[in-house]
Amino acid sequence: MNASCNGYPDHVLVDVNGRVREVEVSDTDMLVDTLRERLGLTGVKQPCAMGNCGACTVRLDGATVYSCLVLTIECERATIATIEGLADGDHLDPVQSAFIAADALQCGFCTPGQILSVRAILDETPDATDEQLIHGLTGNLCRCGAYQHILDAARLASTRSLDEDGANDAA
Amino acid sequence: MLREAGRPRVDAVAKVTGRARYAADVHVAGQLEAGLLRSRRPHATVRSIDVAAARRLPGVHAVLTAAELGEMSWYDGQSSMLTDVARFTGDELAVVAAESHAIVDEALALLHVDDEPLGHVTDPFAALDPDAPLVHDGEQSNQLGDTDRYQRGDVDAALAVADVTVTATYTTPAQIHHALESHGAMAMWDGQMLTAYVSTQSIHDVRDGLAEALHLPVSRVRVITEHMGGGFGAKQVVWKPTVLAAVLATRTGRPVRLLLDRHGEALAAGHRNATRQTVRLGADADGRLVAIDADLLVGAGAYTVGGESSAVEGPYQYLYRCANVRTAKATVRTNHGPAVAFRAPGYVEGTFALESAIDELAVALAIDPIELRRRNLTNVDQVDDKPLSSPDALATCLRRAAETFGWDDGGDSDSDSDTDPGDNDAAARRRRGRGFAAHDWVGGKSHPPAFAHVALTPDGSVQVVTGTQDIGTGTRTVLAAVAADALGIDVERITVALGDTAHGLHAPVSAGSSTVPTMAPAVHAAAVEAHDALLDAAAEHLGVGVADVKWTGTTFHHPDGTAAELVDVLAAIEPRRIIGFGRAEDASADVSVRTFGAVCAEVVVDVDTGEITVVRVVCAPDCGRLINSLLAESQVIGGVTQGLGFALSEHEVIDHRLGIVLNANLEDYLVPTMADRCEIVHAAVNRPDEAANSLGNKGLGELPMIAVAPAIANAIYDAVGLRIRDLPITRRRLLDAVAAGATP
């Protein structure tokens, strides 16, 4: 960590989608701006800048966070995962496939945040109930109102669909 | 029916991987950021703005106020691009361009405004009071133009002899679109071409607006919208941020991005008009309507933007057969941001009041609410005196909604399963009800002119080219399916180019549910022309008559056993290429093309806590022939969900004394969340309207929202016997009604 004259670091080391990056940072930079403007990861959206909508959701050391509320200088040596790192090359994550199959989107602007939230819930609870899914997704707004299909996609990507059908349709 | 019926959208992979690019995501070398200084007061004269400190700030490239910008008329001449008379909290006073967002914010904070407050009125229902301050100095009153009056028959005489009358006043609030992608643009000069990446529903209107504002020929302006993060009507006109980005790009010589923040988006980028509607209905003892009278007041905000046509009177004039109808609509100005169309503008508001009043009439007559509506259906457009293009569509919607909901079986999905049978208190306070509402809509028909090319490339792929834009509804997917069907080629081989004025093919704004009925027939015609040319080329290549050629989608077969692959035929005709051309169709002038729908809702109301739970909504919209059932279902659940917000939670809260909006953000303005959703069922009608166009397509986008709020309000009445006539029906309003009425 390098220190600038005001005592704050002017660079941070972060692991973003499996790649270690040294990023220039000022003491007021929010993580959403660092990801979008410095690293070009524009799948992270910034509709509200005050932690209301969830479209800037990323995973910080595994936990979902609103990246518009996280200071980049807090992220030294953190592991950050964005939507751009979820698929393995052309092989989509089952949650991404489920969003396509269930048409869990319209304009697509909130979709990266929705997908990362579903992924995080299912990582913790692979057979999450509807109640758990709804609770976990209430912080991600969708103004197109695709919630019913988003819930369908989350169910499809959960192991509940494995239990019911013997095969995970989304995988 | 098309073979591609439930296929996923063609741009889904781009959207689930974060690769879909929106205007906000465009970033080029040397790009500046920009931000706006907004009036803190609802009405004020700006004496001066001190820009010296902001200009000295390192990294600042431009600071413009009304004085520096010079005259640039805006809002149809009612104001200027940057104004020295602020007429609403949020009116644009100055703009800054700088190296970063942080510098923009710092510079905006350094601008010192010396302004003089003027009297204000923000409540549309008080705007016509004799002592209300004038929004525009020098005008006679705050009413915008004359009262819009319509009359057929003799309403007073009919009401005097009606067996039953209902009179009630309803209000609907200003609803904010709050698309998650805000309004804005990135503008840059690319040689002699001004290129703007814009979040818009109409690349051509924005191109023309930019050209006019900057005094450029349209041939020197290019507008691109690859993907758009929601619009719902608010992005159907050219807005200030787009023009200012272009002005700043011109003045600084750098690419400039100007995006509204959420606060600006809430204050100054449009909203659904607030309304007050006093309705009188008269009917005979059998429930036949003999008179409809509606006195309407509509709040327009301080300015009109040209896209706000709010036909609140429409449902009263068109929906039911009635010989005696009178509407009077007064539109008023207030010190508030301008209204703009929001998904079925006017009809969402008007249908809430009319369909609530019809429900009140059904109660007064003790007639089933769906039966009452059946008795009043019309097969005629009574305003233009023309037959409807689909005269039985609304009857079909009524039947489909009722059947799917199980209306005649009582309609309870699962009676009382939500209450603990051992808890008598809970059972007593949680009341279940069901409600119904119908609607029609002036939109859903084609808006020519629009054009399409369908071109085959030597590798056997197909490019569909149009000048429309995909605003998130699935236009790319639908047009690919239409082309695939007409060509007999797998949809995987088709790409759709749109959202770029450089393609040179005109298409109208994506609004009024017009995109599918406009563009699908154009693409279909182009694909048919390409298909026919392809078969001619194959016949020539095989040396046989075209009637003998059998086309499988990859191969041309001759009855004698010879065959040719698609790519071989395309190679054989080189350097000729196959390009089909198509244009949008206009409906016959002899019929009136309208769209319809019906909604059944089931609710549970807790009379102790005021909690309203919408259990399920069944929605049966008439959009003509369905092209993709999966995407249609997405439109239905999205429209119904926005209707839930309009019914139960969404309203702008204004401190009328201070003239400021208290919930100009997504924290306090309550759009529906995952926790607010309910079970939504699309009761598909899929009834081709062959008089609308040769494919029988009409639009769907706006329909599913229109009748949701009245269906829910009527279900609440059914549950607790309380008629809430003001939207949104919040817990507070419900509990006030409980307290005011006898214990339900």
Side-chain angles (χ1 to χ4, degrees), chain A residues 28-29 33 36-37 42-53 55 83-87 89-90 92 95-97 99-112 114-115 130 133-135 137-152 155, chain B residues 8-9 11-13 15-22 24-25 27 33 101-102 175-182 227-230 232 257 259 261-262 342-343 471-473 630-631 633-635 637-639 641-642 650 665-667 669 671-675 677-681:
Chain A
T28 56
D29 284 355
D33 298 317
R36 284 180 58 82
E37 312 299 338
T42 54
V44 186
K45 306 302 183 192
Q46 200 245 46
C48 78
M50 56 187 282
N52 298 146
C53 76
I83 192 68
E84 287 88 349
L86 189 57
D90 287 340
L92 297 179
V95 176
Q96 291 172 310
S97 302
F99 267 64
I100 295 174
D103 200 41
L105 56 91
Q106 286 201 292
C107 80
F109 210 68
C110 73
T111 306
Q114 303 278 2
I115 287 173
D130 277 1
L133 291 167
I134 291 165
H135 179 76
L137 293 170
T138 294
N140 288 84
L141 299 181
C142 171
R143 189 49 162 161
C144 299
Y147 298 122
Q148 180 158 314
H149 279 174
I150 293 169
L151 187 59
D152 287 346
R155 290 166 176 153
Chain B
R9 47 187 86 214
D11 49 7
V13 171
K15 288 181 174 178
V16 302
T17 54
R19 289 202 290 265
R21 190 163 71 156
Y22 301 78
D25 300 332
H27 194 279
E33 304 295 340
H101 288 298
Q175 183 187 26
I176 314 294
H177 305 70
H178 272 311
L180 287 189
E181 185 192 29
S182 65
H227 294 279
M228 196 191 79
F232 316 115
R257 179 164 62 178
L259 305 172
D261 59 15
R262 186 52 47 184
F342 189 156
R343 206 171 196 161
I471 63 173
T473 50
L630 181 65
L631 270 61
E633 185 174 272
S634 288
Q635 275 287 19
I637 65 173
T641 301
Q642 284 189 345
E650 292 186 38
N665 56 57
L666 286 168
E667 173 83 25
Y669 182 93
V671 306
T673 72
M674 178 65 91
R677 92 205 190 287
C678 66
E679 182 192 351
I680 298 165
V681 181

Side-chain angles (χ1 to χ4, degrees), chain B residues 172-228:
Chain B
T172 64
Q175 183 187 26
I176 314 294
H177 305 70
H178 272 311
L180 287 189
E181 185 192 29
S182 65
H183 287 65
M186 198 290 280
M188 57 188 277
W189 280 95
D190 187 1
Q192 289 295 298
M193 185 73 91
L194 173 68
T195 300
Y197 292 83
V198 186
S199 184
T200 181
Q201 296 171 230
S202 184
I203 54 173
H204 287 95
D205 288 323
V206 170
R207 178 197 63 180
D208 295 354
L210 276 174
E212 187 184 341
L214 277 78
H215 307 296
L216 295 166
V218 294
S219 58
R220 287 185 58 202
V221 182
R222 177 182 180 191
V223 172
I224 300 169
T225 303
E226 293 171 72
H227 294 279
M228 196 191 79

Side-chain angles (χ1 to χ4, degrees), chain B residues 533-662:
Chain B
L534 185 60
L535 258 66
D536 285 344
E540 187 185 319
H541 180 64
L542 291 168
V544 298
V546 70
D548 291 331
V549 177
K550 185 168 178 289
W551 162 232
T552 66
T554 54
T555 312
F556 301 94
H557 293 278
H558 182 263
D560 72 5
T562 54
E565 297 298 310
L566 171 61
V567 287
D568 298 333
V569 171
L570 294 172
I573 64 169
E574 280 282 345
R576 261 169 61 214
R577 292 283 173 91
I578 290 174
I579 303 177
F581 177 76
R583 63 180 72 238
E585 301 170 17
D586 221 341
S588 158
D590 301 332
V591 295
S592 176
V593 178
R594 295 181 71 86
T595 44
F596 304 89
V599 171
C600 296
E602 180 182 353
V603 303
V604 171
V605 180
D606 186 319
V607 293
D608 280 4
T609 66
E611 185 181 14
I612 298 161
T613 306
V614 180
V615 179
R616 67 190 171 119
V617 171
V618 172
C619 182
D622 157 48
C623 60
R625 185 194 304 275
L626 277 176
I627 294 178
N628 183 315
S629 55
L630 181 65
L631 270 61
E633 185 174 272
S634 288
Q635 275 287 19
V636 169
I637 65 173
V640 169
T641 301
Q642 284 189 345
L644 294 177
F646 184 64
L648 298 175
S649 65
E650 292 186 38
H651 63 138
E652 187 184 51
V653 180
I654 301 174
D655 182 326
H656 292 304
R657 192 176 59 83
L658 295 173
I660 59 172
V661 178
L662 300 178

